[in-house]
Structure formats: C-alpha cells, structure tokens
Amino acid sequence: MTRRSLGSGGCLPPTLRMGTADVAYHLAMRGRPLPVGFVFTFGGRAPTLDAVRARVAERAHRIPALRYRIDRDRPAFRRVDGIAVEHHVHEVWLPEDAVEAEAARMMLTRPMNTGERPPWDVWLVHGPTGGHSLCYRSDHTIQDGVGAAHTVRDLLDDHPQGGPAAHHPGRPTGRGLADALADAVGGFGAPTAKPAFDGASSGRTTLCRVHTPLARLRAIARAHGGTVNDVYLAALSHAVHTWHMKATGAPHPPLPVAVPMSMREPGEECAPGNRMVTARLLLPCDEPSPRLALARVAAATARWRATRRRDAVRMLLAATPRALGARVGTRMVNGDVVSGPASSVNFGAALVHRGAASDSAAVFTGLAAGIRCLTTLTSQHDTSCLTIVHDATLATADELPDLWLAALLELERA
C-alpha cells in the first residue's frame, strides 16, 4: 500500500540527518512547530472517531514520515517505535456560528504535538450544518506540502494511488545555475519594497479561500499560453494590483514571491524531510491587465523549465555546506526579501474515506520569518481552491480571493 524506498521491509534507520531545507525551517522557527495543514471537506454523514483511529492505527506505522520526531539535541530526525493513535487522532465540533473556513483556521492555531511524539495529527471536524472535514497536520521542519499530500493519501484514502507527480532530475544549464546563484545572493541584499505587505507582524494569523473549477484554469491556460500555475500566479498578480490601487490609488511595484518546487523522486513520496527548493519570481503587479501579467509570468516560468532551475538550485545546495545552505534558505524565504511563498499542489483524484469522496481539498502552512501573507492553489479532481493565509493586520486581505476570481473572468473575456 505505502509507496516508499526508505526502510524497505519495515527497517527504518534509528536516526536520519536533516536536510538543508529542514535545518532552515528549524532555524527560522527556533525549534517551534510550523504547521502544514491539509483539509478535506465532505458532505453527508461523518465517520466515527473510532473508525478514523482504526484506519490510522492500521497504516501509520508503515508510513516513514509519520515515524520520526525532531531530535532536540542535534539536527536530525529520531525514529519513534510506538504510535499511540489516541494522542494523534482527535475530534471536534464547530460552533453554530462557524464560517466555512473555520476548520482550516483551527489547523493554524491549535497546539501541535511536540516532545517525544512525532509532530503530526489527524482531526475529524464536525461542521455546524451537517458536513465534516478530515484534517491532517505536520510540522514543516519534517515535511513539505507535496510530502504531506502523499502521506495523507496513504494514511486515509480507501485505495491509495496517484498524487502529485514525481520529479525526474536532469542536468541544469549554465544559465539555470547563474540564475539560481543570483537568487541566493539576492537574499542577502537590501530589503525589497513591498508596500502592500511590508510592516510588523502581529502574530495573529487567519485565512480566507475561494473555489473554482480546475477546467476553468486549464481553459484559460490553453487560450493564452502557459500552464495552470501561470494562470494562478498571473491572476494573483492582478488581484494584488487591484487591491493596492483601491487602497492607495497607486500601482504596486513588481512583487517578489518564493515559488516552492518539489524535488521528490519516485520512491520518495512519504520520506521524511523537505524535498523541495524555491525560486524567486517577480509578480508583475504593475501591469494594468491580467493578460499582460500572464504573458510575463509564462515567459519567466518557461525560462525556469528551459534552464532546469529547480535542478540548478538542487546542485548548488548539494555543493554547499549544510549550515551555510540553511542560512541562505532562511534569507531567500524571508519577509525582507519576498512577500511570501506562492505554492501549488495538485492532489489528483478526490480523497475517498470510508466510501465518501471529498468535495474539495486545501493545503496551507503558517506564517514565519517576517512573512505576513502566503498563497496556495490546491487542486483535487475537478476543483481548485485558492487559500490565502495572512497576518490579522492585513485587515482587507480577505478581498483578494474575490479579486482573484475577477482576474480569471477578465482572462476568460480577453
């Protein structure tokens, strides 16, 4: 059932060395957990807590990412041999006045497992009007979003298969290496102007989200050129343009964001650690139309693919001492340098649990390192969900999802 190369036959090593990205997250959070949450919404009757615990008890010990905790004395992951599901699987009922995104907000604010237990949990969340959600959380130090997608599929799905595509590494071009090096050096430069997102963080985090058909994004990509991810980022760029113009009357300068890219190869789907790199992208928020923004975004990402940017970053990190690479990583994804991550995960077919298929899925993470806003596009079956996690001081950021939809409409009409 579980796809893994690590510890084939059930023999997992007692300790695993943290990778560069893992150390970067650990440093950025000063050892505190940074939650990565996956929320699946369902209609109809909810399973019982005992049924969810039984599924988790049956499968968790076979999933490598769920068998490790963070070693408090050195940068390593330490194997845990016994998993007590009652400490990892919980149930909660939302109040009658809860809004639709309340389960996701809860995953950002509830305390996480720390200490001697692996840092993950599963929540059965009962909605106020009859629906329910299944939520999975992990600590970002020990798992990235794509790893979480594969883990939750193997942990909860009736028939685990599919998920985000694996990466097949290749040799980067000289231009790709030069661009990756420029990104790393740029992380140590002067702070970048991001007027819509600069300012002090309050430490209070919330989120908002919106759904749209995946076919809609694909149709826009076919009509204008580019990919679904290009369409998502271009519409986000124009949403920020409109939002900032409404507030100030002035256009927003190009907005630097960190775009995560998975490095998980076949057989590494559920391995512990962050198998990812990031690249810095300037969202063209200065463009007056989403069509022009899409052309610029598509040109930039096409260059990434042609030069094999993600493999270039991987090669540079492999040639860099881990401590130095982690320091570079904390600078590249930092509120001084970027407004925040802009990620996307295609989960694939809908999660099916106890015969019920989920209506939608959303993955997101908390805020850290001076970042006040991050976005994720999660696609599942025929539905995409844009989730925006933001600091409470960005009081009007909940306007961005509707402005994103408005940008998609403009692209459809262009």
Side-chain angles (χ1 to χ4, degrees):
M1 179 272 296
T2 301
R3 303 154 293 188
R4 71 184 191 280
S5 58
L6 175 68
S8 296
C11 299
L12 299 175
T15 60
L16 290 172
R17 187 173 185 264
M18 279 188 184
T20 299
D22 310 328
V23 176
Y25 277 111
H26 198 54
L27 289 174
M29 294 302 297
R30 296 183 174 89
R32 301 187 309 275
L34 178 65
V36 176
F38 234 117
V39 175
F40 299 87
T41 59
F42 295 80
R45 186 176 180 180
T48 65
L49 177 61
D50 286 344
V52 178
R53 282 180 170 170
R55 172 67 56 86
V56 171
E58 173 193 358
R59 298 184 178 182
H61 68 283
R62 293 182 288 183
I63 301 175
L66 303 182
R67 295 286 306 281
Y68 288 88
R69 64 172 176 85
I70 298 167
D71 195 313
R72 289 177 292 182
D73 300 320
R74 56 180 175 152
F77 302 131
R78 182 170 295 278
R79 189 186 68 210
V80 175
D81 291 327
I83 296 176
V85 294
E86 66 271 16
H87 295 309
H88 291 273
V89 185
H90 312 282
E91 184 175 34
V92 67
W93 280 261
L94 297 179
E96 291 185 1
D97 59 349
V99 298
E100 186 261 347
E102 189 60 35
R105 291 194 182 110
M106 186 182 299
M107 294 302 102
L108 286 173
T109 57
R110 287 253 173 173
M112 291 192 66
N113 285 338
T114 57
E116 302 302 311
R117 295 196 295 269
W120 61 269
D121 50 31
V122 172
W123 289 83
L124 171 60
V125 182
H126 298 268
T129 58
H132 66 281
S133 299
L134 284 175
C135 308
Y136 167 80
R137 288 192 308 174
S138 183
D139 183 351
H140 212 323
T141 297
I142 206 167
Q143 191 167 59
D144 54 57
V146 169
H150 286 294
T151 296
V152 74
R153 174 81 77 184
D154 280 7
L155 184 63
L156 296 177
D157 202 292
D158 287 356
H159 304 287
Q161 59 183 347
H167 175 64
H168 298 274
R171 185 176 181 83
T173 68
R175 174 58 64 186
L177 287 168
D179 289 347
L181 183 59
D183 259 8
V185 172
F188 292 88
T192 309
K194 306 173 294 298
F197 300 98
D198 285 335
S201 299
S202 69
R204 293 176 291 110
T205 303
T206 187
L207 62 76
C208 49
R209 66 187 187 190
V210 73
H211 299 87
T212 198
L214 177 57
R216 184 185 190 192
L217 302 178
R218 288 174 172 161
I220 294 171
R222 287 194 301 269
H224 293 276
T227 66
V228 166
N229 199 53
D230 295 335
V231 173
Y232 147 57
L233 293 171
L236 177 63
S237 173
H238 193 66
V240 172
H241 168 88
T242 306
W243 180 56
H244 187 68
M245 183 73 75
K246 176 183 174 183
T248 67
H252 196 285
L255 183 69
V257 295
V259 179
M261 296 178 286
S262 177
M263 300 300 298
R264 288 185 182 267
E265 299 178 27
E268 296 181 338
E269 290 88 350
C270 296
N274 285 268
R275 309 204 175 200
M276 52 166 280
V277 297
T278 62
R280 183 174 179 267
L281 175 68
L282 285 175
L283 292 183
C285 302
D286 53 329
E287 289 289 2
S289 78
R291 180 178 58 82
L292 295 174
L294 178 54
R296 283 172 58 180
V297 169
T301 60
R303 174 168 166 152
W304 289 358
R305 291 188 293 274
T307 62
R308 300 196 70 95
R309 171 69 77 84
R310 74 175 73 186
D311 292 301
V313 179
R314 173 188 55 82
M315 185 176 291
L316 287 177
L317 288 175
T320 305
R322 183 178 60 166
L324 177 59
R327 184 166 178 250
V328 171
T330 60
R331 292 301 307 169
M332 290 178 65
V333 188
N334 182 283
D336 286 341
V337 179
V338 295
S339 65
S343 59
S344 63
V345 176
N346 189 343
F347 188 73
L351 181 82
V352 178
H353 184 81
R354 304 291 181 185
S358 60
D359 301 321
S360 67
V363 63
F364 48 86
T365 186
L367 301 176
I371 288 169
R372 301 174 72 211
C373 185
L374 63 84
T375 63
T376 306
L377 183 75
T378 314
S379 299
Q380 179 196 248
H381 185 44
D382 56 1
T383 301
S384 291
C385 178
L386 175 74
T387 303
I388 298 179
V389 178
H390 63 91
D391 191 272
T393 55
L394 297 176
T396 61
D398 57 357
E399 298 175 6
L400 286 169
D402 285 341
L403 293 174
W404 184 77
L405 290 178
L408 294 180
L409 184 59
E410 283 194 52
L411 284 168
E412 287 174 320
R413 293 173 173 173

